[in-house]
Amino acid sequence: MKNPSAPPELKTIGLTPLIYCSNQPLFHVTRDVPLSDALAMASDFLFLAKGLTQDAAYARDSDRHAWAAHYLTELSKALVDDVVKVLEPSPARTKADSKKA
């Protein structure tokens, strides 16, 4: 049973696009994923990317390791960027901004 006085769990907002095709994002970070889970997944992706980049340094016959690492780091960056958007305070609105809304 959840504690009603506990602060709400922070979750991703799903505003971060990644991997573009024809100038359109092919994917977005999914909304409402707990931040701890998103960061754990980013860490897992980076761990795998690190291993693949090490393999790529020795595999001269193929670039598949480098491309796999590239996509894993792209996924990691998008997850971290989305988490940062949640954790950063939004800029203070000015009176001019309020009048436009």
Side-chain angles (χ1 to χ4, degrees), residues 60-96:
R60 303 279 182 219
D61 60 337
S62 173
D63 61 355
R64 66 186 169 149
H65 295 94
W67 279 109
H70 168 75
Y71 287 116
L72 287 168
T73 54
E74 179 89 15
L75 291 165
S76 302
K77 182 181 182 327
L79 283 169
V80 171
D81 288 351
D82 207 74
V83 167
V84 168
K85 288 174 186 171
V86 172
L87 296 177
E88 282 184 338
S90 51
R93 293 184 68 169
T94 64
K95 286 185 179 182

Side-chain angles (χ1 to χ4, degrees), residues 7-8 12-13 15-16 19 25 27 30-31 38 45 48-49 56-57 63-64 69-70 73 76 88 98 100:
T12 57
I13 54 175
L15 295 178
T16 307
I19 305 176
F27 301 104
T30 300
R31 183 185 180 119
F45 288 157
L48 293 169
D63 61 355
R64 66 186 169 149
H70 168 75
T73 54
S76 302
E88 282 184 338
S98 296
K100 290 179 190 175

